[in-house]
Amino acid sequence: MDYVEIFEVGPRDGLQNEKRQIPTEDKIALVDLLSGAGFKRIEVASFVSPKWVPQMADSAEVLAGITRAKDVSYAALTPNLRGFEGAMAAKADEIAIFGSASEGFSKGNINCTIAESLERFQPVADAANEAGIMMRGYISCVTDCPFDGPTPPDKVAWVAEQLIAMGCYEISLGDTIGQATPDTIDAMLDAVLGVAGPDMFAGHYHDTAGRACDNIEASLKKGLRVFDAAVGGLGGCPYAPGAQGNVATEAVHDRVTALGYATGLDRDILEKAADMARQMRAGE
Ligand code: HMG
Ligand code: MG
């Protein structure tokens, strides 16, 4: 049976947008529950400015408090060298640099142009490569930007090429505001697949318009087999107006299972984790 990997990003992308400071022990409990669900990779932390994203300020404590499962890689976002050093001190298993295919979102999210962001990522990439740490790359706004409108597919392909040249082992393609359609995903994938094969790419689709699973289906047809998702459909990006949650892990599991793919995930644990995530959002 063909296999689809779901990369769980709930503890990071799902929770980063919550206004209420979620207690560190609740985040740890969520990660510990997810660790038994069968994921290979879980994004649990983000070493960014606490002024920009206060919810992620306890990332080191979360990484210190979780009970690590042997076969799970615990990932962290690192926008610059300082973030990389924080992630290494906290023993993140892998890191991610995160850029954008649109100038408006790059400015809004990381306060620099796309070209400047690539300059900032280079020393992070050098340090990760030197340390032998796996590095993933994110590209936001791969089809639509809340500031600049539609994103030209060639721009996504160009940024992907730069991130791959820096040593990223996989590029996660972000529909940050959940406005993509199967057609715009198709056009974007045609462009990026000119740069590298489908095994180099993951879909990271937010579900604002309720089309994320359809966009995953379109991506499966192009050969992608890795999708980011958050239990309970939590999340959003604080610097993307109108962005809503990631597609729910349990919804992706159900859709790809119905299409005949195995995920290796325990559906009961996913349900429990989704309940826990929803309670966190509700402030219970
Ligand atoms: P900046 O203001 O341009 O840079 O921010 P700076 O170097 O002048 O730093 C500003 C302040 O942040 C300084 O503190 C630094 O010390 C501090 P101050 O002097 O004002 O007290 N600082 C840090 N603190 C802790 N850890 C660090 C760090 N770096 C600087 N690593 C910066 C540039 C990138 C830091 C800032 O813009 C930032 O933190 N942005 C984060 C935005 C973010 O996390 N967004 C959400 C994640 S991305 C996302 O969700 C999209 C994704 O899911 C894919 C998709 O859906 O599209 C991945
Ligand atoms: Mg996201």
Side-chain angles (χ1 to χ4, degrees), residues 9 12-13 16 138 140 174-176 204 206 236-237 246:
V9 296
R12 193 281 303 174
D13 207 354
Q16 70 180 8
Y138 278 100
S140 287
D175 174 18
T176 315
H204 176 108
H206 286 254
C237 175
N246 292 94

Side-chain angles (χ1 to χ4, degrees), residues 201-255:
F201 295 101
H204 176 108
Y205 305 144
H206 286 254
D207 205 21
T208 318
R211 288 191 293 265
C213 280
D214 296 340
N215 294 334
I216 286 173
E217 217 171 309
S219 309
L220 284 167
K221 287 183 188 143
K222 296 278 182 194
L224 272 66
R225 293 291 181 270
V226 179
F227 298 97
D228 300 352
V231 274
L234 286 189
C237 175
Y239 297 103
Q244 289 195 10
N246 292 94
V247 63
T249 307
E250 54 282 13
V252 180
H253 169 86
D254 292 350
R255 175 70 73 102

Side-chain angles (χ1 to χ4, degrees), residues 258-281:
L259 291 168
Y261 296 92
T263 66
L265 297 175
D266 181 324
R267 187 67 175 81
D268 292 340
I269 298 182
L270 292 187
E271 204 54 50
K272 284 194 191 105
D275 276 348
M276 190 188 271
R278 278 189 289 262
Q279 280 167 23
M280 284 160 108
R281 163 157 272 186

Side-chain angles (χ1 to χ4, degrees), residues 13 16 47 49 51 80 82 109 111 140 176 204 206:
D13 207 354
Q16 70 180 8
F47 290 87
S49 161
K51 284 189 191 147
N80 52 23
R82 177 161 167 199
N109 192 46
N111 202 25
S140 287
T176 315
H204 176 108
H206 286 254

Side-chain angles (χ1 to χ4, degrees), residues 63-258:
L63 274 161
I66 57 174
T67 303
R68 296 181 189 225
K70 220 168 77 259
D71 300 326
V72 178
S73 178
Y74 295 92
L77 295 190
T78 57
N80 52 23
L81 214 42
R82 177 161 167 199
F84 177 77
E85 281 157 9
M88 289 303 92
K91 300 193 165 46
D93 294 310
E94 63 175 269
I95 58 131
I97 48 181
F98 52 103
S100 171
S102 76
E103 291 293 350
F105 186 74
S106 186
K107 271 274 176 213
N109 192 46
I110 49 175
N111 202 25
C112 59
T113 65
I114 296 172
E116 286 164 349
S117 77
L118 296 171
E119 274 169 34
R120 288 184 190 184
F121 296 153
Q122 191 62 60
V124 179
D126 292 344
N129 293 335
E130 170 84 26
I133 294 291
M134 299 286 277
M135 176 176 65
R136 201 178 195 224
Y138 278 100
I139 305 176
S140 287
C141 299
V142 295
T143 58
D144 300 85
C145 170
F147 308 105
D148 301 351
T151 303
D154 287 353
K155 189 76 190 191
V156 187
W158 183 81
V159 178
E161 202 172 1
Q162 311 309 308
L163 294 179
I164 291 169
M166 283 183 197
C168 290
Y169 73 90
E170 182 177 88
I171 304 298
S172 174
L173 300 163
D175 174 18
T176 315
I177 56 170
Q179 293 304 315
T181 65
D183 285 348
T184 59
I185 288 287
D186 263 0
M188 181 274 296
L189 289 178
D190 283 345
V192 300
L193 291 173
V195 169
D199 53 332
M200 281 298 291
F201 295 101
H204 176 108
Y205 305 144
H206 286 254
D207 205 21
T208 318
R211 288 191 293 265
C213 280
D214 296 340
N215 294 334
I216 286 173
E217 217 171 309
S219 309
L220 284 167
K221 287 183 188 143
K222 296 278 182 194
L224 272 66
R225 293 291 181 270
V226 179
F227 298 97
D228 300 352
V231 274
L234 286 189
C237 175
Y239 297 103
Q244 289 195 10
N246 292 94
V247 63
T249 307
E250 54 282 13
V252 180
H253 169 86
D254 292 350
R255 175 70 73 102
V256 302
T257 302

